[in-house]
Amino acid sequence: MSATFYPYVGAFIWISILLVLGSYLRAKISFLQKRLIPSALIGGLIGFVLMNTGLIGMPTAEGWVIIPSKVFGVLVYHLFAFGFVGIGLMQQAKSKTSEAGTNWLRSGALWMALIYCMVYAIQGITGKTVFELYKLVIGGDFFTGFGYLIGSGFSQSPGAAHAFGTIWESEYGIQGASSVGLAFGAMGFLCAICFGIPLANRGIKNGWVSEKTVAALPESLRKGMMAKGESENCANSTTHPANIDNFAFHIAVMAALYAVGYMFALAWSLTLPKGVSGLGFGLLYTWGMITGLITRKVLDKINCIHILDPASTRRITSSTIDYMICAVFMGISMSDIQTILVPFIITVLAAGFLTYLVIMYFARRMPEYGFERGLAILGCYTGTVASGILLLRIVDPDFKSPAAVELAIMNVFILPIVQIIYLNLPFVPTEGSFMLPVFIAYLIAMPIALFALRFVKKRVW
């Protein structure tokens, strides 16, 4: 029976152990508390060290067996795609108009979407430029298109970067692409913490926060654990426990929809020609999200949407994100990025700094709630929505600003605008790729749109 645990059950157990260890360290070490470093990130960093020193493994009948880093990459792939089913199922909050009668075209969500596309382009161009210049000046035998993956790792998520890298590996033989994508995603989380926490503290100190009654962070937030008697309800049951547990029902719905996404991906890969067939499973997260969206729309149409609890779906989706973040670091193999370590580090530093400067420029000129919105998307466009919410809560603990809601609904605007990038990324390794011209077009068009829609005013802070 021990053979049934290797490698995926063993890998899942390792992630669980590291999440618990990360939670313990966060609750005990003040350095981690002051910087609000998530348990998944703490556990992931520890796991990265253990993985690359050959200590991640499990006892079997044949003795101690090492678990390969690729196993954790596979878990990232499925956790990411499964989480997108939940994103599709979640009911999006509706944006509210301001007292001045601001319509949807002037909403912060659209502002965030335009900044997203511009930042994605800047990150991709920066990565490609650094890798090209390094190869030209220093030399080396590596694929310069790796630089494009920083946009996916930062602005999307490690799972997306891994998915695109997997397509490059399977369809074009670009070895190590999936691990490079994970590495860029992991560095994005670190950038979110390193840039975001100091900025939040500066904003409070200098009075940049819209709500001037920012209180000290509660101890439960700093330590990451609720004190005795502070527990909160995290979901509402839509099923009777005598029939089926609420979480079991919601997980079953998400798993069933994930199976539908799998069937679509399989059909795609078997029927379409080579070169595009890899998109079937490479974009599994997209198919999963679409099945969730369609299911939610159908349930709403037949007046049965009440059987899905948004809070339960959100909790399950958030759990997959925590597991994914920890697995991301453990899926990075130093042997895969060793030959590109210098351009990799330069790209991370340059893209992180440029992302910070661009977001701050436009956030300072946003008429309302510019600091809160800028801080939130800084965390989101280097890490994930979870890191954006984490930073926002430092300066807006009660979510009085609209930034938190806008983070949830901005995808309504992002998805139609950014599709050209998403559709071109899988074909980067092909001769005559249009990726660079596409990024340049976005870099030109997005600032024009921001000025045309009057999102850029006189500097406020």
Side-chain angles (χ1 to χ4, degrees):
M1 287 297 291
S2 64
T4 62
F5 283 78
Y6 183 85
Y8 294 103
V9 175
F12 192 81
I13 291 172
W14 263 110
I15 298 171
S16 303
I17 292 171
L18 290 169
L19 285 174
V20 174
L21 177 59
S23 300
Y24 175 79
L25 294 176
R26 166 69 180 269
K28 296 296 182 181
I29 300 176
S30 60
F31 174 85
L32 301 176
Q33 295 170 10
K34 290 178 181 178
R35 287 152 185 82
L36 299 179
I37 301 179
S39 299
L41 184 56
I42 299 169
L45 288 171
I46 297 172
F48 170 77
V49 175
L50 295 176
M51 172 60 69
N52 286 278
T53 52
L55 297 177
I56 295 292
M58 59 182 298
T60 66
E62 291 76 30
W64 184 264
V65 181
I66 299 296
I67 300 176
S69 61
K70 289 287 185 183
V71 172
F72 292 94
V74 171
L75 290 179
V76 168
Y77 170 81
H78 286 290
L79 288 166
F80 174 67
F82 186 76
F84 261 76
V85 176
I87 291 174
L89 284 175
M90 281 192 286
Q91 300 177 48
Q92 303 293 337
K94 300 183 183 298
S95 60
K96 297 179 180 179
T97 57
S98 68
E99 292 180 0
T102 305
N103 59 32
W104 64 273
L105 278 174
R106 302 286 300 278
S107 71
L110 178 59
W111 177 83
M112 289 178 175
L114 296 174
I115 297 290
Y116 172 88
C117 295
M118 178 171 57
V119 165
Y120 201 133
I122 290 171
Q123 291 166 349
I125 293 172
T126 300
K128 177 65 171 176
T129 302
V130 170
F131 272 74
E132 287 285 0
L133 288 177
Y134 186 86
K135 190 170 186 176
L136 180 66
V137 176
I138 306 298
D141 183 20
F142 55 83
F143 179 55
T144 58
F146 281 147
Y148 286 133
L149 287 175
I150 192 167
S152 299
F154 273 36
S155 290
Q156 281 187 273
S157 75
H162 179 269
F164 287 126
T166 300
I167 294 174
W168 295 1
E169 287 181 347
S170 61
E171 295 295 313
Y172 308 105
I174 307 297
Q175 295 302 312
S178 59
S179 188
V180 172
L182 287 178
F184 275 132
M187 293 302 102
F189 287 114
L190 295 179
C191 286
I193 297 297
C194 293
F195 283 108
I197 300 295
L199 177 63
N201 291 330
R202 282 179 58 206
I204 295 173
K205 181 179 179 181
N206 296 330
W208 297 340
V209 182
S210 299
E211 298 291 339
K212 304 304 180 182
T213 57
V214 178
L217 295 178
E219 186 176 9
S220 59
L221 175 59
R222 288 190 299 103
K223 291 189 174 183
M225 290 288 179
M226 294 294 187
K228 187 176 181 179
E230 288 186 348
S231 299
E232 299 177 354
N233 293 328
C234 64
N236 299 302
S237 181
T238 61
T239 63
H240 196 286
N243 177 36
I244 184 173
D245 181 78
N246 178 62
F247 275 95
F249 175 74
H250 283 78
I251 292 172
V253 170
M254 292 175 63
L257 294 177
Y258 192 45
V260 174
Y262 165 81
M263 294 302 295
F264 182 85
L266 180 63
W268 179 299
S269 64
L270 292 177
T271 56
L272 293 181
K274 183 176 175 59
V276 294
S277 60
L279 292 177
F281 283 102
L283 298 179
L284 179 58
Y285 68 95
T286 302
W287 317 139
M289 183 180 68
I290 291 173
T291 60
L293 286 169
I294 293 174
T295 300
R296 179 164 56 84
K297 291 293 184 183
V298 171
L299 289 174
D300 191 28
K301 191 74 174 177
I302 63 176
N303 200 29
C304 289
I305 192 65
H306 64 278
I307 68 173
L308 293 179
D309 172 43
S312 298
T313 307
R314 191 176 299 112
R315 295 279 69 79
I316 296 170
T317 303
S318 297
S319 297
T320 65
I321 292 174
D322 283 332
Y323 269 83
M324 184 194 72
I325 292 172
C326 189
V328 161
F329 287 87
M330 302 175 75
I332 301 170
S333 173
M334 283 301 297
S335 61
D336 287 334
I337 64 173
Q338 197 166 5
T339 57
I340 61 167
L341 189 58
V342 175
F344 174 85
I345 293 174
I346 294 173
T347 297
V348 169
L349 294 175
F353 189 64
L354 286 173
T355 299
Y356 175 84
L357 290 180
V358 169
I359 290 176
M360 285 303 98
Y361 175 84
F362 286 98
R364 287 177 183 272
R365 290 159 178 82
M366 182 66 177
E368 294 179 311
Y369 299 105
F371 183 74
E372 290 86 347
R373 287 166 168 160
L375 182 65
I377 63 172
L378 176 63
C380 187
Y381 300 168
T382 51
T384 62
V385 173
S387 50
I389 291 292
L390 176 70
L391 294 178
L392 177 63
R393 190 169 181 182
I394 299 174
V395 300
D396 185 15
D398 299 320
F399 296 132
K400 294 181 179 179
S401 76
V405 173
E406 290 163 352
L407 279 179
I409 66 174
M410 68 179 179
N411 285 315
V412 173
F413 301 109
I414 287 177
L415 290 176
I417 299 174
V418 81
Q419 284 307 310
I420 298 176
I421 293 178
Y422 291 172
L423 292 175
N424 276 273
L425 270 172
F427 305 105
V428 164
T430 60
E431 187 175 349
S433 167
F434 291 102
M435 196 70 262
L436 186 58
V438 167
F439 275 142
I440 292 174
Y442 273 87
L443 185 58
I444 295 172
M446 294 304 107
I448 292 175
L450 285 165
F451 278 93
L453 293 171
R454 298 182 180 179
F455 283 133
V456 184
K457 299 286 188 178
K458 184 179 179 181
R459 177 171 168 173
V460 179
W461 48 274

